Amino acid sequence: MDKGLTEERASDAPYSWGECPQRIFDEICSRPRPGGHVITFANEKGGVGKSTLAFNTAVALANAGASVAAIDLDARQGSLSKALEQRAATARCLSAPIACPAAAKVEKNGAAQILQEIARIGASADFVVLDTAGSDTPLGRRAVALADTLVTPINASDFDLDLLGRFDPVDRRLIEPGPFARTVVDLAAERESRMGARPDWVVVKNRNRSKERHQQTRIDATLAELVRAYGIRVAASMAERVTYRELLHFGLTQGDLARIPQLARHRKRDHGTELERFLAELRLPTRVVASEQKPQRKPLHPPTLRERYLQGLRADAGCRDLTPELAD
């Protein structure tokens, strides 16, 4: 990150975003930190796909054999926690051998509440995924402070970029940090002084549309300015795909379909490669992956309910041509 920007913020008192970074890190450093790698999905703007991307990331890591704890910090909306609840229900109903990350929701403000939930459900987890609300909140600031990897999804929009930087409308020159970038820059500087390392900040263009090529070119040029100023990394863009949302209310991803016996013949879609590329670009630490397959759970529901469940699942997954296989 640009030292000038950091020094400029260090001279400001009080901080424009309302909280001193030292206070936040006093809270964090007074308690045991999680042993796992913390991945925080954060942006103060809603509707950019944070929860969907956090869910897909947590599931992909869990399916790869890693131990994952997912914490939802947006208790009001609860998108991540709802999707993971539905995932556990699907696994039980279909006796499906799909990995289910440990999940929790935090409703009270403070680093203590986040760390307590991590200790409760993921003390030995390889990865901790934190999903924040689409606004500036005390929980969101602490999630950014805890992040080893900070992921900020944006849409190809000047309104999204406004939170990262204010630009001259003519020559697209960066004038000053946006409100979210100020928060991240301040917390990153304090984190480095306390812990010796800044977070790896990754910005990803999400929900890209092929018809917006001119806008994409403008956004790419603007992001290059942010790379220079903040030291962020820009991941390859994620396309706008219905497949990321069509199975979410079942708590599933397209990558899960091959693991479910009743849907094993369903063709794997292209989004799997895109998500694998995204995970590779996060440069997460390598973890030992368990090779032993978990035993299948016995169904907790009668076959008639399982059949209705499968019919709905096939309809949303586009596999209406498949024959039900309901035998245990």
Side-chain angles (χ1 to χ4, degrees):
M1 297 183 186
D2 191 302
K3 289 185 177 179
L5 289 176
T6 304
E7 291 171 358
E8 174 192 343
R9 295 303 306 147
S11 65
D12 290 349
Y15 284 81
S16 61
W17 46 275
E19 248 189 311
C20 175
Q22 288 85 351
R23 176 181 174 182
I24 292 174
F25 277 91
D26 285 345
E27 284 184 38
I28 291 173
C29 293
S30 66
R31 296 170 175 83
R33 270 184 46 78
H37 187 90
V38 178
I39 311 170
T40 296
F41 289 80
N43 188 340
E44 290 178 14
K45 184 177 184 298
V48 295
K50 291 189 304 299
S51 298
T52 302
L53 198 53
F55 173 75
N56 276 270
T57 298
V59 166
L61 291 171
N63 276 340
S67 173
V68 181
I71 312 290
D72 193 336
L73 304 182
D74 186 2
R76 183 177 179 84
Q77 186 165 341
S79 299
L80 179 61
S81 54
K82 288 175 186 175
L84 290 171
E85 287 172 6
Q86 290 296 98
R87 182 175 182 81
T90 296
R92 290 194 302 269
C93 187
L94 302 184
S95 300
I98 56 175
C100 294
K105 181 164 57 176
V106 173
E107 300 185 12
K108 295 181 179 179
N109 289 326
Q113 283 67 35
I114 302 175
L115 293 170
Q116 284 170 7
E117 287 303 302
I118 294 174
R120 183 177 69 84
I121 69 167
S124 60
D126 298 318
F127 297 99
V128 176
V129 174
L130 302 179
D131 182 35
T132 65
S135 59
D136 176 33
T137 67
L139 282 176
R141 298 170 205 154
R142 283 149 182 80
V144 170
L146 285 166
D148 297 305
T149 298
L150 173 63
V151 181
T152 300
I154 64 169
N155 293 333
S157 160
D158 289 325
F159 290 111
D160 284 32
L161 286 175
D162 246 9
L163 288 167
L164 299 179
R166 302 291 167 80
F167 294 86
D168 186 290
V170 177
D171 60 14
R172 308 300 295 171
R173 177 178 53 86
L174 179 63
I175 300 172
E176 62 178 359
F180 179 65
R182 287 182 184 274
T183 300
V184 175
V185 167
D186 294 339
L187 291 172
E190 184 65 19
R191 189 181 197 274
E192 185 176 36
S193 69
R194 298 283 190 111
M195 302 177 181
R198 294 171 179 259
D200 182 18
W201 189 9
V202 181
V203 173
V204 55
K205 291 185 298 178
N206 198 24
R207 297 176 175 171
N208 277 4
R209 298 175 177 87
S210 58
K211 296 181 179 180
E212 297 178 343
R213 292 179 181 176
H214 177 68
Q215 177 72 353
Q216 297 290 349
T217 301
R218 291 180 62 252
I219 297 299
D220 287 342
T222 305
L223 285 174
E225 281 286 300
L226 297 176
V227 170
R228 182 198 63 78
Y230 307 146
I232 65 173
R233 293 194 298 112
V234 179
S237 59
M238 306 285 284
E240 171 69 59
R241 297 183 190 272
V242 177
T243 56
Y244 285 113
R245 301 189 298 272
E246 63 185 357
L247 297 177
L248 200 58
H249 61 291
F250 287 102
L252 295 176
T253 68
Q254 288 289 331
D256 291 318
L257 298 181
R259 299 169 179 269
I260 300 175
Q262 297 91 337
L263 305 173
R265 292 186 296 162
H266 184 56
R267 179 174 61 86
K268 184 179 180 181
R269 301 188 181 181
D270 293 339
H271 101 291
T273 303
E274 184 178 62
L275 187 61
E276 289 167 4
R277 183 198 64 208
F278 169 71
L279 289 176
E281 288 188 303
L282 290 186
R283 302 175 189 171
L284 301 175
T286 303
R287 302 290 183 183
V288 177
V289 176
S291 59
E292 183 178 348
Q293 187 176 14
K294 296 182 179 180
Q296 295 189 11
R297 301 176 177 87
K298 291 186 177 181
L300 301 182
H301 303 278
T304 53
L305 177 56
R306 295 181 69 201
E307 185 171 8
R308 294 201 307 274
Y309 200 95
L310 278 167
Q311 287 173 350
L313 178 52
R314 284 193 183 85
D316 283 347
C319 17
R320 298 176 179 83
D321 57 324
L322 296 184
T323 303
E325 299 174 13
L326 299 175
D328 296 338

